[in-house]
Amino acid sequence: MIKSMTGFGRCEVSEGDRKITVEMKSVNHRYLDVSMKMPKKLNFFDSSIRAILKKYIQRGKVDVYISYEDLSEGNASLTYHPGIAAQYVEYFRRMEEQFGLTNDIQVSVLARCPEVLVMEEQQEDEKEIWHLLEQAVHGACEKFVEARVHEGEALKDDLMQKLDEILETVAFVEERFPQILSEYREKLRAKVRELFADAQIDENRLATEVTIFADKICVDEEIVRLRSHVEAVKAALETGGSIGRKLDFIAQEMNREANTTLSKANDLEVSNRAIDLKTAIEKVREQIQNIE
């Protein structure tokens, strides 16, 4: 199956008071480039997440967004540090004796002193978090790949149609070649008659000139290679897999053959069709850029 390099996937997994949401989206890229945004507490799982992504994705610039919610009441607790409170009280007493001030300290005042009462987040079970996170990542990847495959099939159909159009143009050029030679022979014969009305036409010399002309404009090799390249692209599309780079290389070779055909063209119709051929191949190349 063919996969596009653009896609989107989302999965939300919840268990108890915990909920993890993973969203993924991608665009074209020569290689696999993954960018992740997630809460700091999940940074520990970065390498594990990337390992999962590589099982599903070979190419593309992928942005991954992960959110984590924990609505449980026990995820944070208030901690009292009596040692620090005792030091505050002792220093307040010394200040009272040294400066002759009234020591009016109260519990409410002491509680506001730094580090006496501290809100601390409780350590969470990493195995439980990873259990949810792994499910969410796999779920998002599956939907992400599903979207890529769906778009990839549309790309395949479009490419197949464009490749058939290329073959039609190639067939026209191939059929037109004998006609060009025949027309050239008649033009040459008419020119000789015009210049030398009473002279006998040397058929051997005429055949030699036509042969030289045919050799200059011959595109048999280019036609054969173009057909071969088109069939190779079709076969790759039917086989599927990660074929984007391979198809891009073949498309470059197709464009080279089209350029040679255009440079050899000594006929208006062939020139126009060669230009159409280059345009069609360029459209194929643009679509291939979207294939993984």
Side-chain angles (χ1 to χ4, degrees), residues 83-100:
I84 295 178
Q87 291 182 47
Y88 275 116
V89 172
E90 175 61 23
Y91 282 116
F92 288 155
R93 186 186 62 77
R94 293 182 185 181
M95 292 166 65
E96 176 188 7
E97 294 176 355
Q98 181 178 358
F99 300 107

Side-chain angles (χ1 to χ4, degrees), residues 31-273:
Y31 309 103
L32 176 59
D33 180 16
V34 178
S35 175
M36 290 195 291
K37 293 183 179 180
M38 56 186 172
K40 291 183 178 180
K41 66 173 62 180
L42 300 182
N43 286 342
F44 176 79
F45 305 107
D46 185 279
S47 60
S48 299
I49 296 172
R50 291 180 184 274
I52 294 176
L53 295 176
K54 288 180 180 179
K55 295 179 180 179
Y56 290 90
I57 312 166
Q58 280 71 50
R59 293 176 65 202
K61 187 180 186 308
V62 185
D63 293 317
V64 182
Y65 304 92
I66 303 175
S67 63
Y68 173 69
E69 296 180 37
D70 187 353
L71 304 178
S72 61
E73 297 180 357
N75 60 347
S77 61
L78 189 64
T79 302
Y80 166 54
H81 296 144
I84 295 178
Q87 291 182 47
Y88 275 116
V89 172
E90 175 61 23
Y91 282 116
F92 288 155
R93 186 186 62 77
R94 293 182 185 181
M95 292 166 65
E96 176 188 7
E97 294 176 355
Q98 181 178 358
F99 300 107
L101 300 174
T102 301
N103 190 351
D104 58 351
I105 186 171
Q106 297 179 355
V107 174
S108 59
V109 175
L110 186 60
R112 288 196 295 269
C113 293
E115 302 301 324
V116 174
L117 296 176
V118 179
M119 185 70 72
E120 294 182 349
E121 189 171 345
Q122 293 182 347
Q123 189 68 26
E124 296 187 83
D125 190 334
E126 290 181 354
K127 290 184 177 180
E128 293 183 3
I129 295 177
W130 175 242
H131 174 68
L132 292 178
L133 180 57
E134 185 179 24
Q135 291 183 60
V137 173
H138 276 291
C141 283
E142 289 171 0
K143 294 180 180 179
F144 176 78
V145 171
E146 183 180 341
R148 277 186 152 197
V149 169
H150 179 73
E151 187 172 337
E153 289 301 313
L155 285 175
K156 176 183 174 181
D157 293 340
D158 185 63
L159 281 170
M160 285 294 192
Q161 181 180 348
K162 286 181 170 58
L163 291 171
D164 288 337
E165 292 174 0
I166 290 175
L167 288 177
E168 290 177 5
T169 304
V170 169
F172 172 85
V173 174
E174 189 175 29
E175 293 174 3
R176 177 66 181 153
F177 182 71
Q179 299 174 19
I180 295 174
L181 294 182
S182 178
E183 291 172 3
Y184 179 75
R185 182 189 295 273
E186 293 304 317
K187 286 180 181 178
L188 192 59
R189 189 188 299 274
K191 192 68 175 178
V192 171
R193 286 175 177 170
E194 179 184 346
L195 295 175
F196 308 100
D198 299 330
Q200 183 71 24
I201 297 177
D202 187 345
E203 292 295 337
N204 291 331
R205 181 58 187 273
L206 187 63
T208 301
E209 291 296 328
V210 172
T211 301
I212 294 173
F213 178 74
D215 185 61
K216 288 182 179 180
I217 69 169
C218 181
V219 291
D220 288 352
E221 293 182 8
E222 288 76 10
I223 294 298
V224 170
R225 284 194 288 266
L226 268 171
R227 289 186 183 276
S228 176
H229 293 328
V230 170
E231 294 305 323
V233 173
K234 284 189 172 185
L237 290 173
E238 293 295 344
T239 302
S242 184
I243 58 173
R245 292 179 185 175
K246 176 182 178 180
L247 295 185
D248 187 47
F249 174 77
I250 297 176
Q252 291 180 41
E253 294 300 309
M254 292 170 62
N255 191 58
R256 184 176 291 110
E257 302 302 336
N259 284 332
T260 305
T261 301
L262 181 59
S263 66
K264 288 185 176 182
N266 197 22
D267 178 74
L268 182 59
E269 291 188 52
V270 172
S271 296
N272 290 336
R273 289 302 183 97

Side-chain angles (χ1 to χ4, degrees), residues 4-8 24-34 57-64 144 148 151 289-292:
S4 169
M5 274 198 288
T6 58
F8 176 82
M24 302 169 56
K25 65 177 182 178
S26 70
V27 293
N28 301 352
H29 199 274
R30 292 184 62 187
Y31 309 103
L32 176 59
D33 180 16
V34 178
I57 312 166
Q58 280 71 50
R59 293 176 65 202
K61 187 180 186 308
V62 185
D63 293 317
V64 182
F144 176 78
R148 277 186 152 197
E151 187 172 337
Q289 300 303 316
N290 296 320
I291 295 178
E292 186 181 52

